[in-house]
Amino acid sequence: MKDNYGVKYVGEWQNNNIHGNGVLLSNTSKYIGQYKYGLKHYNGREILTHEVYEGNFEGGRRKGEGIRYTPTSTERGVFDDTLVEGEIMSLDGKI
């Protein structure tokens, strides 16, 4: 499915909702993972312009264990949209 804004989805559906495994592509992002009733849920990989997040989602939000990669650092730990508990490692190896 492709909408008028160039967003494309390839994957599973249930009752006219994105549900199950799928890939969502837009001009600025890509999400590969699982959906529950139209929202990112369970495990997935979100690729944005300046970061990549791999980990758990709940209700469309980064929630639980994950890793976030940026051009300058790697964050590993527990997320609730942002890193709540864990470690941040800069590219030069400093914490």
Side-chain angles (χ1 to χ4, degrees):
M1 175 202 87
K2 189 172 187 178
D3 70 10
N4 294 338
Y5 302 101
V7 176
K8 182 178 180 179
Y9 174 75
V10 177
E12 299 174 327
W13 293 82
Q14 181 178 329
N15 298 326
N16 291 324
N17 281 311
I18 295 172
H19 191 82
N21 293 308
V23 178
L24 186 72
L25 303 166
S26 75
N27 292 334
T28 59
S29 67
K30 179 178 185 178
Y31 175 77
I32 305 162
Q34 297 173 305
Y35 290 87
K36 184 175 180 182
Y37 305 115
L39 298 174
K40 299 170 191 167
H41 206 78
Y42 307 118
N43 292 313
R45 177 181 229 199
E46 183 176 51
I47 303 166
L48 304 172
T49 305
H50 297 290
E51 68 179 71
V52 174
Y53 172 81
E54 296 177 345
N56 201 54
F57 289 83
E58 186 176 306
R61 298 177 37 227
R62 297 174 182 182
K63 183 91 170 164
E65 293 288 326
I67 302 172
R68 178 178 173 254
Y69 304 95
T70 72
T72 59
S73 67
T74 298
E75 300 174 359
R76 178 185 315 261
V78 178
F79 286 78
D80 190 357
D81 282 331
T82 61
L83 184 65
V84 174
E85 183 179 321
E87 66 179 16
I88 299 173
M89 181 75 70
S90 67
L91 287 181
D92 61 10
K94 297 179 181 174
I95 296 177

